Structures are given as C-alpha cells and as structure tokens.
Amino acid sequence: MKIISNLLEGIEGIRIFYIFGLLLFFSLFIIILIRTLRRSNKEMDEIKKSILTDDDSNETAVS
Amino acid sequence: MENQKFYYDNKIVKLFVLATIIWGVVGVIVGLLIALQLAFPVFNFDFEYTTFGRMRPLHTNAIIFAFVGNAIFAGVYYSLQKLLKARMFNDVLSKIHFWGWQLIIVLAAVTFALGISTSKEYAELEWPIDILITLVWVVFGWNMIGTIVKRRVQHIYAAIWWYLATFLGVAMLHVVNSLELPISLTKSYSIYAGAQDAVVQWWYGHNAVAFFLTTPFLGLMYYYLPKAANRPIYSYKLSIIHFWSLIFLYMWAGPHHLLYQALPDWAQALGVTFSIMLIAPSWGGMINGLLTLRGAWDRVRDNASLKFMVVAVTAYGMSTFEGPMMSLKFVNQLTHFTDWTIAHVHIAGMGWNAGLVFGMLYWMIPKLFRTKLFSEKLANLHFWIATLAILIYAIPLYWAAVTQWLMWHEYTAEGFLAYPNFLETLTQILPMYTVRIIGGTLFLIGFLIMVYNLFKTMKSGSVEDNELAEAPALVIQGRRNPLQETVHRWVERRGVRFSIWVFIVLAIGGAAEILPMIFIKSNIPTIESVLPYTPLELEGRDIYVSEGCHTCHSQVVRPFRWETDRYGEYSKIGEFVYDHPYQWGSRRTGPDLARAGYVGGPMYKNAAWHYNHFKNPQKMNEQSIMPKYDWFARKDVDLSMTPKKIRAMQILGVPYPEGYDEVAVDDYMKQAKEIVADLKKSNIDIEPTKEMVAMIAYMHKLGGDIAPLQLDEGTKEPAPQKEITLLSGVEDMGDADEVFTKICAACHGPSGKGIATFPDLTDAQWINGNSPSDVYYSIRNGNAVKGMIPYKDQLSDKQIIQLTSYILLKLNK
C-alpha cells in the first residue's frame, strides 16, 4: 500500500481525479453509444423477444 | 439439435418468497413503531431494548436486507433459471444462501436490540456477522455465475447484467466499508477515522442504494415488466447504454451525503457532478420501463401487478431526479439533516422497491403455484391503499422539512436566531409526525391484505418443486468473428469475462473517490490541540455508538451563520482524526452535539444537567421526544475491556503513550471521580464506574479541544454595571413569558421553581444577587461552567430587560 501512497502523494493537484473521471466517462460513453447504435435492430429484437417465448409467456393469470 | 431435459428449482424460489413476505411485515411494523416513538416518546416503553436509537437500524436493515434482500433473491432465482434455461448451479449452495441469509437477519435483529452496533448506517452489524454476510454473498455469486456458465442459451439477457453488477458491487462495498479491528466478539472499531470513515461510509451508503436497491431492481424490471405486460422491453440498445453509464457513475457520487461538512472541496464537487450526471442513465431505465407499456396501457387498467410496476418505475424516475437535485449544494442546505431525506428514501423505498416487489409477487406467485390469483379486487385495493399511503407518509415529511429548515435559519430584526431553542423547531413539526403514522398504518394494512391474498392463492395451488423443462444444449462458440459479432455481443456471451469488465468499471469510481482520502495526508490536516479520547471518554463514546445516538444527533457543524450561532464554531476536518467510527449523523431530530463540550458555547450543559436529562428528558423539557436512559445510572462499564480498547486504538494510529493501556483504568477512575465529585455538589450520588459518568465525560469532550476552557469569570463583563429600569407593561410581561417558556424553563422549570439542581427563581436565595442589575447581568453573561450560556448572544437587550422584570416582578414577588 505504501507504493500506492507514494504514487498518489506525488500527483500534483488532486483535481486530476475529477478531470480524469469525467474524461474517462465521456470517452467510454461515446464509444459504447456509437457501437451500440450501430448494432442491427433485427438482432436486438430477437434478444428482447427471446424472454417471452418460454412457457411463462402467457398473460398474468387472474381470477 | 436434440433437446436436453432438466428441472427448474422452484422450491428455493418459494422459500425466498415466503421470507420476503414474513420479513416485510416485520420491517413495516418496526417502521411503524419508530414513527410512533418520534411522535409519542412513550412508545420507547422506557425499556433499554426498544429505544429509537436501537429500533431505527432494526427497521432500516429489516426493510433493506430482509424484505428487499429476500425479494431480490426470489426474483433472481426464478428469472435466472428461466432466462438461462438451466437449474441453479448447485442446490446445496442455494440452501446455504437461503438459510445463511435468514440467520444473518435473525442475528441482526437480536444484536441491534442488545445495542451491539457499529453505528455505520446500513452497515451497523458487528464483525462476526459481517464475515457471515461475506461468506453467504460469495455463495450467492458462486451459484449465480455457476448457473451462467452452465446455461443453455447463447446470450446473457440484460436483466442478468444487473444481477451480476449487484453481486460485484455489493461485495466490493461491503468488504471495504466493513474493515474493522475486533476487540471482542461483539465490539470492533472501524479502521478508518473521521472524514476518511465518513467518505468510505457514504461511498458504501450511497452505493448500497445503487447496488442493493437499484441495480437488482432494474434487473427485475427488465424481466418481470415485459413478462407481466407480455411485450418485449422498449429498447435493448438503451438498456446497454444505461447499464454501463449507471454502474460507472454511481460509484463516484457518495460524497453528496457530506456537503458542507468536514470534507475537502474537491471530494464534494466530485460527488455533486457525478450525481447530476446520474439523472441521464437513471431516466434511461425509467423511460425504457414506461415505454415498454406503449400500446398496452389497457392491461394496466385491469392488472394490479402492472399497476404496481408502473408506480414503481414512476417513483424511480421521481427519486432519481430528486436525488441529484438534493445533491446541489444550495438545495442540500435544506434537505440534509431534515425530514426531506426521510421522505425521499420512502418515496423510493415504498414506491420503487416495495412497488416492484408487490408487482413481481402478484405476477410470480400464481405462476409458481400453477393457479390464479385469489382476488384481483383485493390486489387492486392493496394498490390504491399503498399508493395513498406513500403520499400520506411523504407529504407531511416534506412539509416538516421545509418548516424546520425555515425555523432553523430565521433571524429576528435584531439579528438573533428567532428560534434559539432547537426543541421549538421540533415541536412545530410533531403534528406532521402524527400524520406520517397514518401513512405507515395504511401501508401496513395494504401489506396485510396482500399477505392474505397471496396465502389464499398459494393454498389454492401447489408448487412443483422440480419443474421439468427442455432446451437444446449450448454450443460453445470460439473466438470472435469480427464480421459476425460486435465486441459487446462477444463480451455478453461469456459470463466471467462480463463480470470482470463490470468489476473494473465499478472499481474505477471507488478508487478515485476513496484512495486519495486515505493516502494523501494533506487531505486530513491535523489540529495540535485535538487530543485522543481519555479512557473514560472513549468508553462513553462507545456507549453513544452502541445506543445509536447518531440517529437523532449529528456531530458536525456546517459553515453557515445560522448553524454557528446555534451550535458554535463550524467543524474542522482535523477534529475527527481519532473518531473510529465517525459520528456525524444524517438527521437532526435533536440538536447537533459537536460542541456539547465547549464551555461557554451555546450547547454546553453541566454534569448535573446531563445526569437529569439522561434519566428523564421530559422532566427537563416537557416536549422532548428523547427516550429515557435511566439505566446509564445503574449499569457499570466493563473496565476489563478498557486496556484492550486502548491497545486497539494504538494499532489504529491513535498516539497514546507506550504502555498506556496498563494505566488506562487508573486514569479512568481518576477522571470519573472528578465528575462524581462535581455531581455530588448537586446532591447526586453515583459510583464512578456507572455508564452515566462515562457519557457525561464524552459529552464534555465534544468540541472542547478546539475551544480552550473558559471559566465563568472570563465571560463576565467588567463593572461598572448599568442601572436597569424594570418594565412592567402587559406586553413586556407577555413577551418575557414567551421567552422564559422557550428558553429558561428547560432548567428553571415552567414556573421558575427550578428543576433538580437548577436554581429556584421564586425563593429568597440568590447566588449572584437580586437587584435588577444583578439579574440582568446574570442572564446577559450566563454561567458557562454551570451550562448557562451568555444570553447576550441570543437575546436582544430589551428581551433581557423584559426577562429580568418578569423574574423579579412576576416569579419572585
């Protein structure tokens, strides 16, 4: 843990965590957003409908 | 490909369903009890084991971990098997999980009632139970990931991503926040101190909301809402985007629970920024849920299960908008420490969590028991009662929060606090607390209607413990073909790899928030005059922790004029470096105690006052709602533990001299005897080993280190004293009567005859003289050591003259 302590103490300006977090989030977000939007709608439809095809797919049983 | 036969394990689902229902009723009843206690203190029953401080964690833990926890497991065990077309990985693990979790709940209930608590909110359990939780949680994760590995479908459906995030998130949070140094089987100290402890605790606390009350429920929503509506989820793409955004952002937002408190600005800004950003993925989930019902709203009209789900998703949307707004610093001034927080969590708890559980149970139990719901009418009745109950519960509390906050920071034209006596601000909102009880009662009635309806449903059907099913075996796919498979699709089809990615995303936020606080020394500037607790003070602190005093009394003064005028100097980060655990609290049902030991400050009270107040708070303040703690005067502190505690503190870095543990008990007795002698002057006899003495020592330690002891002479103004002309007008007497009732009656009694050892103002005995000038200056300068504050800081000159006149002309005729 001392190694981490030394490393962190050496970082100038704690605000770097703040900026780092935002940058990391936005870069990951943009990548995931683009890649997700490019996925085929057909494939998405198949997946989301798959859960309705099992034996429980009837409407709620009510008296 | 040929189908494989296998059996779903429905028995384990049934067990978790039953546990959900039983613990749900218990949790709501305890909630109702503590609501009663806040409005009518008689419901503390003058009994050690049922005080509010002990019952409040019992309620929160029963609801979160017993009711909601068992509901999560019921929902996960049912849907996981169906989604993966596989029986749970191992029946023995399922059984250990179920019975282990119930054991934890029973142990929690017993230990809280016994006053065994670490006082860290939603993590109050002591270390042996923490270890048990870790083991049972690992069993749950092992069972779940094992099932994912042996599944018969290629794709891991979105609901399961949320279940995985739940397992990994809670595991990380629980382990990091529960790191503590055991002293005995029932006592440990958090390894973190003060501000560090606060950051770790609220990183945990906030993310317990995220990973126990949000992510598993989003998973349940992604399965049960489409099933109940018989329509696929609105957008699967949205589910991917909001999954990764939500689990990434939540981990950073914890410090919004500590705004304006003794925490570096960067950490507060971090919490606020990420909280605001959280609106987007949260609303992504809400929109996905509500739009799933597009074109199917006619079914909502007839179906109580869907009705509950709609209210749940709507409550989720409201709470996840309200939460980020509450984390804006200006708004937080109002919402923090008031009942706003309580209203907020109940909108989320009763609406989102309980609503989704009710919706899930109404859909699942008829399926599980292969029958029809006993009565859709009763289910609808439950829906309307529960929805009404949420409103009747929450609206009075929002009202109470605004009322109390306005009173806390209202000033008179002369520049004094309009309501210097904290109790006035509480008395004002007690009617709202009574209305809240009606809301809670209605919610319980609705719950009991559901219990009846569900048990009748269960009775009319039967569960097939091992339900036969068929599915083709999974063909293991090899390496990713970039032309046929996206990266996310590839990640999705491997359970363990998916889990590792989720863990990395969660760990980034946690590490960025916590590590700098722990490792960078400049974040925790020390204050030279702040000394470690003496053995007596430490024992007093441990009693304070175990009684859950923090559930009503905060110990951190925010840097606002209206707080520093009421409580004293604002809190500094360096004041808390020896606090294992921290005791800042999150709600002020009673006044802040951070400066209770600051002699001459507005919060200081002498030993005799504390003695009488602990024994019977209502005797000192008729309208007080604090429970009686008269057993403090009867019970002894276990001095055999004191040296162990000192050694533990030394291990945690508290700078006691080498070998101090050997003389700790001597020091304890020496300080205790001083307090005993002080009490003796007020004709109070008590032995030095009693808990009362330790509690008084702790009260007098709070905030005293940064405020050097001021003797009463120090606050007195020098002669010559001015001539005072008494005011005998009806209006003056009326004004004085009001001030006397609000402020002076707490020690001198409503008719001025004195309480316990506090002077009678109606007799001929005067300690400091009875000329108008003498009385005027006695009020003006107070008597710091005896706990009478200099009222020149709280009352105008005219008010002090009016009081002088009232005392001499009316009380002391």
Side-chain angles (χ1 to χ4, degrees):
Chain A
M1 293 305 254
K2 189 65 190 163
I3 296 170
I4 303 171
S5 179
N6 290 340
L7 177 74
L8 287 172
E9 278 181 57
I11 295 173
E12 196 176 319
I14 195 67
R15 280 162 192 84
I16 194 155
F17 286 90
Y18 191 25
I19 298 160
F20 165 75
L22 288 172
L23 282 178
L24 191 68
F25 173 74
F26 282 116
S27 6
L28 280 173
F29 181 77
I30 289 164
I31 293 168
I32 292 176
L33 185 72
I34 292 169
R35 295 203 66 103
T36 306
L37 292 179
R38 286 175 61 190
R39 289 176 70 167
S40 92
N41 286 332
K42 187 171 162 285
E43 182 197 10
M44 295 287 101
D45 275 350
E46 278 169 19
I47 295 171
K48 68 187 190 185
K49 282 179 183 157
S50 67
I51 69 159
L52 300 175
T53 56
D54 65 20
D55 42 324
D56 272 345
S57 60
N58 303 328
E59 287 191 43
T60 313
V62 291
S63 56
Chain B
M1 180 176 290
E2 199 179 323
N3 271 359
Q4 291 180 336
K5 284 189 177 175
F6 63 95
Y7 295 90
Y8 291 125
D9 182 0
N10 285 336
K11 193 178 173 188
I12 191 69
V13 181
K14 181 181 73 180
L15 287 173
F16 275 121
V17 163
L18 292 174
T20 304
I21 295 170
I22 293 165
W23 290 125
V25 173
V26 173
V28 176
I29 288 175
V30 180
L32 197 54
L33 171 69
I34 59 173
L36 282 163
Q37 289 176 334
L38 286 176
F40 310 104
V42 68
F43 283 95
N44 287 284
F45 305 121
D46 293 345
F47 191 47
E48 186 181 345
Y49 308 105
T50 51
T51 54
F52 178 82
R54 296 191 188 188
M55 288 297 107
R56 196 257 193 183
L58 187 58
H59 166 61
T60 52
N61 281 269
I63 292 295
I64 298 173
F65 300 109
F67 168 57
V68 169
N70 277 303
I72 293 169
F73 301 137
V76 169
Y77 274 68
Y78 181 85
S79 60
L80 194 73
Q81 298 185 82
K82 303 271 179 182
L83 286 170
L84 299 175
K85 300 215 181 305
R87 189 183 176 86
M88 287 308 296
F89 174 64
N90 185 308
D91 287 2
V92 177
L93 291 183
S94 300
K95 280 180 192 152
I96 295 174
H97 178 197
F98 177 77
W99 291 110
W101 197 256
Q102 311 318 311
L103 175 66
I104 290 164
I105 294 166
V106 173
L107 287 174
V110 173
T111 53
F112 289 149
L114 290 173
I116 297 166
S117 163
T118 65
S119 84
K120 294 179 77 161
E121 283 186 71
Y122 327 124
E124 291 95 342
L125 294 167
E126 264 300 348
W127 68 272
I129 310 175
D130 281 342
I131 292 174
L132 193 58
I133 293 172
T134 311
L135 295 175
V136 172
W137 198 254
V138 169
V139 165
F140 165 53
W142 181 8
N143 209 9
M144 178 163 62
I145 293 173
T147 314
I148 293 172
V149 170
K150 69 165 203 178
R151 71 190 186 278
R152 292 186 178 81
V153 293
Q154 198 64 253
H155 179 73
I156 301 176
Y157 181 69
I160 301 169
W161 311 347
W162 295 102
Y163 300 160
L164 280 171
T166 300
F167 164 65
L168 294 164
V170 171
M172 187 190 303
L173 295 161
H174 174 69
V175 170
V176 174
N177 189 46
S178 301
L179 292 176
E180 50 217 358
L181 186 64
I183 312 296
S184 70
L185 197 63
T186 56
K187 175 71 193 163
S188 66
Y189 290 119
S190 170
I191 67 158
Y192 314 104
Q196 288 175 342
D197 196 40
V199 168
V200 175
Q201 160 58 27
W202 283 112
W203 170 74
Y204 164 88
H206 174 71
N207 287 298
V209 172
F211 291 91
F212 212 87
L213 302 175
T214 304
T215 57
F217 279 78
L218 285 168
L220 298 177
M221 181 193 85
Y222 272 102
Y223 181 78
Y224 291 95
L225 185 59
K227 294 294 273 186
N230 202 23
R231 301 180 68 86
I233 196 77
Y234 170 67
S235 166
Y236 205 74
K237 287 183 180 177
L238 181 55
S239 73
I240 297 173
I241 295 164
H242 101 95
F243 172 77
W244 290 107
S245 310
L246 193 137
I247 65 165
F248 185 93
L249 293 177
Y250 246 115
M251 278 287 176
W252 299 70
H256 70 205
H257 289 258
L258 301 166
L259 299 180
Y260 291 115
Q261 298 179 36
L263 203 67
D265 262 355
W266 69 266
Q268 298 189 30
L270 192 74
V272 174
T273 312
F274 280 85
S275 303
I276 298 299
M277 287 165 71
L278 260 174
I279 297 177
S282 302
W283 276 45
M286 176 192 69
I287 289 165
N288 220 359
L290 288 180
L291 288 183
T292 299
L293 293 168
R294 77 204 183 289
W297 285 91
D298 54 314
R299 285 182 205 156
V300 177
R301 191 182 52 205
D302 307 323
N303 186 325
S305 168
L306 277 176
K307 276 199 190 89
F308 269 119
M309 289 188 194
V310 169
V311 164
V313 176
T314 311
Y316 175 63
M318 284 165 60
S319 306
T320 52
F321 177 75
E322 188 189 18
M325 292 301 108
M326 287 165 73
S327 74
L328 292 173
K329 285 184 99 171
F330 180 75
V331 181
N332 195 266
Q333 282 185 47
L334 186 167
T335 62
H336 200 71
F337 291 137
T338 65
D339 282 310
W340 195 287
T341 313
I342 321 297
H344 169 65
V345 298
H346 281 83
I347 291 273
M350 294 158 92
W352 165 234
N353 296 117
L356 203 65
V357 172
F358 298 151
M360 180 182 86
L361 292 177
Y362 280 126
W363 180 84
M364 186 211 278
I365 288 180
K367 296 272 175 209
L368 199 62
F369 285 76
R370 296 176 299 167
T371 183
K372 290 184 173 183
L373 186 64
F374 170 69
S375 167
E376 188 70 26
K377 271 189 185 163
L378 281 181
N380 273 302
L381 180 66
H382 174 204
F383 169 79
W384 288 111
I385 290 178
T387 309
L388 193 66
I390 297 172
L391 295 177
I392 297 178
Y393 183 98
I395 292 170
L397 287 192
Y398 285 125
W399 192 334
V402 174
T403 305
Q404 199 174 27
W405 181 69
L406 288 172
M407 290 177 85
W408 281 349
H409 78 288
E410 189 177 336
Y411 276 86
T412 61
E414 291 85 14
F416 298 106
L417 284 170
Y419 304 97
N421 182 357
F422 183 93
L423 193 57
E424 263 186 290
T425 72
L426 181 73
T427 310
Q428 187 71 24
I429 61 172
L430 286 184
M432 280 74 125
Y433 281 6
T434 311
V435 181
R436 181 237 309 253
I437 295 167
I438 300 170
T441 309
L442 278 176
F443 198 75
L444 179 64
I445 291 169
F447 205 121
L448 293 174
I449 291 172
M450 181 192 74
V451 173
Y452 171 75
N453 199 1
L454 292 181
F455 277 111
K456 290 295 271 186
T457 308
M458 291 178 195
K459 221 174 163 189
S460 71
S462 65
V463 182
E464 201 176 348
D465 285 348
N466 297 295
E467 182 191 342
L468 180 66
E470 286 185 10
L474 175 66
V475 179
I476 304 292
Q477 287 190 324
R479 296 168 69 85
R480 182 173 86 94
N481 178 346
L483 294 175
Q484 290 179 344
E485 197 174 35
T486 62
V487 175
H488 199 270
R489 192 88 172 84
W490 169 72
V491 172
E492 284 166 25
R493 69 174 161 87
R494 300 301 292 267
V496 175
R497 188 163 49 209
F498 190 88
S499 305
I500 292 168
W501 278 108
V502 171
F503 182 82
I504 291 170
V505 168
L506 297 179
I508 291 170
E513 190 184 305
I514 292 174
L515 289 180
M517 281 297 289
I518 294 176
F519 293 109
I520 299 182
K521 291 184 183 69
S522 64
N523 279 317
I524 312 286
T526 49
I527 300 171
E528 212 173 308
S529 62
V530 174
L531 302 172
Y533 294 100
T534 64
L536 183 67
E537 291 158 359
L538 186 64
E539 290 290 359
R541 188 170 206 277
D542 286 346
I543 298 166
Y544 186 97
V545 166
S546 91
E547 292 294 347
C549 304
H550 74 93
T551 54
C552 289
H553 296 280
S554 59
Q555 277 191 24
V556 64
V557 182
R558 295 179 293 181
F560 302 128
R561 181 186 162 209
W562 47 276
E563 290 218 352
T564 54
D565 281 358
R566 185 182 298 280
Y567 302 118
E569 182 73 10
Y570 71 89
S571 295
K572 320 287 186 299
I573 199 165
E575 288 181 67
F576 305 99
V577 290
Y578 306 125
D579 287 8
H580 298 269
Y582 85 113
Q583 291 291 294
W584 296 355
S586 58
R587 167 76 184 108
R588 284 180 185 149
T589 307
D592 185 278
L593 297 176
R595 300 279 174 254
Y598 185 136
V599 181
M603 292 307 295
Y604 183 82
K605 297 280 187 283
N606 71 357
W609 188 90
H610 281 301
Y611 177 91
N612 286 296
H613 188 252
F614 279 129
K615 283 201 80 163
N616 189 351
Q618 283 73 36
K619 190 168 138 194
M620 310 303 284
N621 296 302
E622 212 171 301
Q623 289 165 312
S624 168
I625 58 168
M626 181 165 146
K628 295 181 176 71
Y629 286 93
D630 57 341
W631 58 88
F632 284 172
R634 293 197 307 270
K635 287 181 74 175
D636 285 302
V637 170
D638 179 4
L639 289 178
S640 67
M641 293 298 291
T642 311
K644 281 187 193 169
K645 290 180 176 179
I646 296 292
R647 286 196 291 276
M649 285 291 165
Q650 284 174 319
I651 294 170
L652 294 172
V654 178
Y656 290 114
E658 192 68 32
Y660 184 66
D661 55 316
E662 288 166 25
V663 293
V665 175
D666 297 340
D667 264 13
Y668 181 104
M669 292 305 288
K670 193 174 156 206
Q671 190 186 2
K673 281 173 185 167
E674 285 169 17
I675 293 172
V676 168
D678 185 20
L679 288 170
K680 182 79 184 162
K681 284 186 214 156
S682 305
N683 298 321
I684 297 169
D685 284 314
I686 189 165
E687 289 163 43
T689 52
K690 298 295 176 197
E691 289 188 348
M692 181 71 82
V693 179
M695 278 301 283
I696 292 171
Y698 178 56
M699 288 294 111
H700 284 171
K701 163 76 172 177
L702 291 171
D705 281 348
I706 66 156
L709 184 74
Q710 297 168 26
L711 297 175
D712 49 350
E713 284 81 9
T715 56
K716 279 194 176 172
E717 286 173 67
Q721 299 188 338
K722 72 172 181 179
E723 280 295 313
I724 301 298
T725 311
L726 296 179
L727 306 164
S728 56
V730 177
E731 205 179 311
D732 291 316
M733 284 294 150
D735 289 349
D737 186 57
E738 200 180 314
V739 175
F740 190 88
T741 309
K742 280 197 298 192
I743 297 175
C744 315
C747 293
H748 296 288
S751 54
K753 289 185 177 301
I755 294 178
T757 58
F758 298 94
D760 185 343
L761 303 176
T762 63
D763 61 12
Q765 304 236 334
W766 292 89
I767 300 166
N768 294 315
N770 69 339
S771 73
S773 178
D774 291 336
V775 176
Y776 169 85
Y777 279 99
S778 292
I779 300 170
R780 200 176 150 76
N781 297 327
N783 187 338
V785 172
K786 291 204 165 180
M788 180 164 164
I789 63 167
Y791 280 99
K792 63 175 185 271
D793 300 333
Q794 287 197 359
L795 301 173
S796 66
D797 201 53
K798 189 182 173 196
Q799 283 176 309
I800 296 175
I801 296 173
Q802 285 173 330
L803 264 181
T804 308
S805 314
Y806 180 79
I807 291 164
L808 291 175
L809 299 176
K810 192 162 179 199
L811 299 180
N812 196 285
K813 285 174 189 168

